[in-house]
Amino acid sequence: MTTPRAQVRPRTEGWTQKKDADGRPLLQFASPRRGKPPAHFADLTPEQRVEKMSELGLPAFRAKQLEKHFFTHYTHDPAEMTDLPAEGREELVHTLLPPLLTEVRRLSTDRGDTIKFLWKLHDGALVESVLMRYPGRITLCVSSQAGCGMNCPFCATGQAGLTRNMSAAEIVAQVVHANRAIAEGELGDPRHVGHEGERVTNIVFMGMGEPMANYARVMHAVRVMVDKKHGMGMSARGITISTVGLVPAIRKLTNEDIPVTFALSLHAPDDELRDEMIPVNSRWKVDEALDAAYEYFAKTGRRVSIEYALIKDMNDHGWRADLLAEKLNARGRGWVHVNPIPLNPTPGSVWTASDRPVQDEFVRRLETHGIPTTIRDTRGKDIDGACGQLVATEADQEAAAATPVEA
Ligand code: SAH
């Protein structure tokens, strides 16, 4: 017999759940109204881009040229677009490819293999993306919203609330800028890297925001990323969409014809705890979220990830590993793997990551039940660029105030 472990909960640690007018946990699904981001070429479908050309009295092939410049040469600078007629070029490019992201700062760590970008949007909203070089792949963690309305107590972004949805072009522009930085040899030690034609190979929607709460724009951005003829030509498998578990949106995603990788932020296998850790659990319970995740696998054949931030004495008990495995195995075998994430510290939070032996035991139990399990590495922790740490700090706000928006 082992001695019973402590059970810490967000509430016992002094965190209080904000409530809405009906007394339910506060969740912001709708984006607050703010000035719309400038309309951008990347917000249009390939057909709409051609129509746009015809409206402007230009031949259709100009659309293709602009697509090439932006999506594969990573530029919105008219000076670099010498295949466009000089006359009216500046104006055309400025109208169709307005600058959307102004770089406020860039922090680098892991000997240059990780870069965190802080971007200011046209209305002053701040978002971040994190670029990471791994052996054989380059991953960009993108934001889908400025802030987040899901209010998870252990996530810095969630605690800051939702500023607004990002447009599809703003989401895509993060990839364009990252590719530009790579092309300029800025990711990694230039003595060892800098291969010709290197670019982002993997995208994870794990930056700021709840991607499924900004569904249409996120899906438009994904279509641009995977479009071989008119977009970036990335592999859908290399794109991971992570959600707190907005079940109707997961079902919608299941019926899209884009086999992205799907990740569910579960963090607790029992509703009692998950109700407190993930406020959206008040709408869709553990079993509903797991059923939707399983259906994603059944329809697409893509193995699903379950994310599980390990928080000391909160959700890291051996019995929870057993219960999680039981719930996953009840739905089938080989359809899922678990990604435990040692909790990253967030400002003002009292919670810490599980102790190493506890983490090891959690993993061991899952594996004993036949569940493939990989601990997620915590890249960028020292630059507050790891999971759950993306939030505009006071220093960020000051730097942003001193940065004029590019126009
Ligand atoms: N809103 C989406 C995507 C963004 S967060 C979602 O929740 O899935 C990406 C992952 O980081 C999620 O699994 C999230 O729960 C996790 N996370 C949030 N805060 C964290 C923290 N402080 N430490 C470790 N992981 C965290």
Side-chain angles (χ1 to χ4, degrees), residues 140-181:
L140 183 69
C141 178
V142 295
S143 293
S144 56
Q145 298 180 311
C148 184
M150 297 297 110
N151 204 12
C152 303
F154 55 92
C155 176
T157 317
Q159 286 308 290
L162 178 63
T163 303
R164 71 163 166 91
N165 279 333
M166 291 175 74
S167 69
E170 285 172 333
I171 296 169
V172 167
Q174 296 172 75
V175 190
V176 169
H177 281 277
N179 279 335
R180 181 95 196 179

Side-chain angles (χ1 to χ4, degrees), residues 90-386:
E90 289 256 344
E91 201 197 332
L92 175 73
V93 175
H94 205 80
T95 313
L96 296 179
L97 303 175
L100 298 174
L101 311 180
T102 303
E103 187 171 329
V104 175
R105 28 154 131 188
R106 191 183 283 210
L107 297 174
S108 167
T109 185
D110 302 322
R111 298 181 170 198
D113 278 350
T114 304
I115 303 177
K116 181 173 85 164
F117 299 89
L118 172 66
W119 304 108
K120 178 152 121 173
L121 309 181
H122 81 103
D123 55 353
L126 298 175
V127 298
E128 293 178 315
S129 17
V130 185
L131 182 59
M132 294 160 279
R133 176 188 291 283
Y134 292 93
R137 71 190 148 99
I138 297 178
T139 300
L140 183 69
C141 178
V142 295
S143 293
S144 56
Q145 298 180 311
C148 184
M150 297 297 110
N151 204 12
C152 303
F154 55 92
C155 176
T157 317
Q159 286 308 290
L162 178 63
T163 303
R164 71 163 166 91
N165 279 333
M166 291 175 74
S167 69
E170 285 172 333
I171 296 169
V172 167
Q174 296 172 75
V175 190
V176 169
H177 281 277
N179 279 335
R180 181 95 196 179
I182 298 165
E184 289 170 352
E186 291 179 29
L187 181 65
D189 184 335
R191 283 168 305 181
H192 304 301
V193 296
H195 308 292
E196 197 74 10
E198 263 196 337
R199 60 175 192 155
V200 171
T201 55
N202 295 61
I203 303 272
V204 292
F205 278 87
M206 297 185 188
M208 289 180 178
E210 167 47 49
M212 294 291 93
N214 187 17
Y215 191 88
R217 293 174 198 87
V218 164
M219 289 320 292
H220 182 95
V222 168
R223 276 188 210 101
V224 170
M225 290 168 191
V226 301
D227 192 327
K228 288 197 165 48
K229 269 171 82 185
H230 300 280
M232 309 183 106
M234 299 181 65
S235 144
R237 292 160 177 264
I239 299 175
T240 301
I241 295 191
S242 175
T243 176
V244 283
L246 273 52
V247 167
I250 301 172
R251 293 217 184 92
K252 228 161 142 187
L253 183 70
T254 302
N255 293 312
E256 302 271 0
D257 251 349
I258 312 177
V260 294
T261 299
F262 175 73
L264 173 67
S265 295
L266 193 71
H267 306 307
D270 52 309
D271 286 318
E272 206 195 339
L273 177 59
R274 196 171 191 265
D275 277 342
E276 278 197 55
M277 285 181 69
I278 310 286
V280 88
N281 206 63
S282 61
R283 307 294 200 275
W284 299 284
K285 297 290 170 196
V286 169
D287 284 313
E288 288 172 272
L290 287 177
D291 284 343
Y294 179 75
E295 279 160 34
Y296 189 84
F297 164 79
K299 174 87 192 290
T300 63
R302 305 278 308 130
R303 196 166 73 159
V304 163
S305 299
I306 301 290
E307 295 161 280
Y308 200 106
L310 281 171
I311 308 180
K312 185 175 178 175
D313 294 336
M314 190 180 294
N315 62 352
D316 60 359
H317 309 81
W319 70 265
R320 285 202 163 92
D322 294 337
L323 179 60
L324 173 59
E326 201 179 289
K327 290 201 166 190
L328 299 179
N329 284 334
R331 289 168 171 84
R333 292 278 175 159
W335 68 279
V336 68
H337 74 275
V338 175
N339 235 202
I341 318 167
L343 185 80
N344 295 307
T346 58
S349 161
V350 291
W351 304 312
T352 53
S354 306
D355 293 334
R356 193 53 202 261
V358 173
Q359 171 183 315
D360 292 345
E361 173 64 6
F362 199 89
V363 171
R364 192 193 64 77
R365 292 220 191 185
L366 288 170
E367 285 174 343
T368 304
H369 292 285
I371 306 286
T373 304
T374 345
I375 295 281
R376 174 166 315 153
D377 83 335
T378 48
R379 272 285 183 102
K381 201 153 82 171
D382 48 340
I383 52 171
D384 285 345

